[in-house]
Amino acid sequence: DAFGVLPPISRLSPGQAMYHFISGFTSKVAGTERGVTEPEPTFSACYGAAFLTLHPMEYAKLFKSKLEQHNVDTYLVNTGWSGGSGGTNGTGKRMSIETTRACLNAIFDGTLKNSSYRKDKLFGFDVPTTLSGVDTKILNPVETWENKEEYDKK
């Protein structure tokens, strides 16, 4: 998330996982794209539109069916920005490797399975209320922004 609006981790329903998979949302960011100084949103269906031989919805339906068939817990991990957007004029900071590791460890060791969650008002996914090794402020991204109105605009 190059715009700093997503928490470091959230739990997705199969339908939400399908949505994020099919939308393939990402961002072009300064330092990885020539001529880009501010984050630019971009989409690539199933994160590989140029290589798909079937309609993206076919892959998304298959993905969702496998999640449901095998009762898979699905998480969205944000390794991008927090506290503002990235880019040359951004106020945000990269998500720390320690935060990312804590999120991944909580998935792998099963901690997240039994965590308490809050429903994100904007995105509708579940966000843990606490997570060992992660500042609780980061779990509610608006709290990391100095200018809350700017968060709402993003």
Side-chain angles (χ1 to χ4, degrees):
D1 167 30
F3 298 94
V5 297
L6 293 176
I9 191 161
S10 50
R11 182 176 62 188
L12 305 177
S13 69
Q16 289 168 327
M18 180 181 167
Y19 168 81
H20 285 282
F21 177 66
I22 198 166
S23 69
F25 176 76
T26 189
S27 297
K28 295 178 181 180
V29 293
T32 61
E33 299 281 339
R34 210 176 259 166
V36 174
T37 58
E38 294 301 314
E40 295 177 13
T42 189
F43 298 86
S44 178
C46 307
Y47 299 100
F51 307 102
L52 302 181
T53 57
L54 302 174
H55 190 280
M57 191 54 109
E58 294 302 314
Y59 297 101
K61 287 190 282 190
L62 178 62
F63 178 56
K64 183 181 177 197
S65 74
K66 295 296 184 185
L67 293 176
E68 292 173 338
Q69 177 185 357
H70 299 287
N71 196 30
V72 175
D73 294 321
T74 311
Y75 300 95
L76 179 64
V77 179
N78 172 18
T79 61
W81 297 83
S82 180
S85 60
T88 56
N89 297 320
T91 58
K93 293 187 173 104
R94 287 298 304 226
M95 203 65 71
S96 74
I97 191 71
E98 292 80 15
T99 295
T100 300
R101 282 185 182 145
C103 292
L104 294 174
N105 287 337
I107 292 170
F108 299 143
D109 71 16
T111 303
L112 277 176
K113 197 167 192 68
N114 300 314
S115 293
S116 59
Y117 289 85
R118 67 170 178 81
K119 182 76 66 186
D120 186 272
K121 290 186 264 181
L122 183 60
F123 297 103
F125 43 55
D126 296 328
V127 180
T129 55
T130 61
L131 189 58
S132 179
V134 178
D135 182 350
T136 55
K137 193 174 173 181
I138 295 175
L139 292 171
N140 190 5
V142 68
E143 296 303 320
T144 65
W145 283 63
E146 284 185 35
N147 185 335
K148 311 294 189 228
E149 291 175 4
E150 281 298 311
Y151 172 86
D152 290 336
K153 288 180 186 176
K154 291 289 180 182

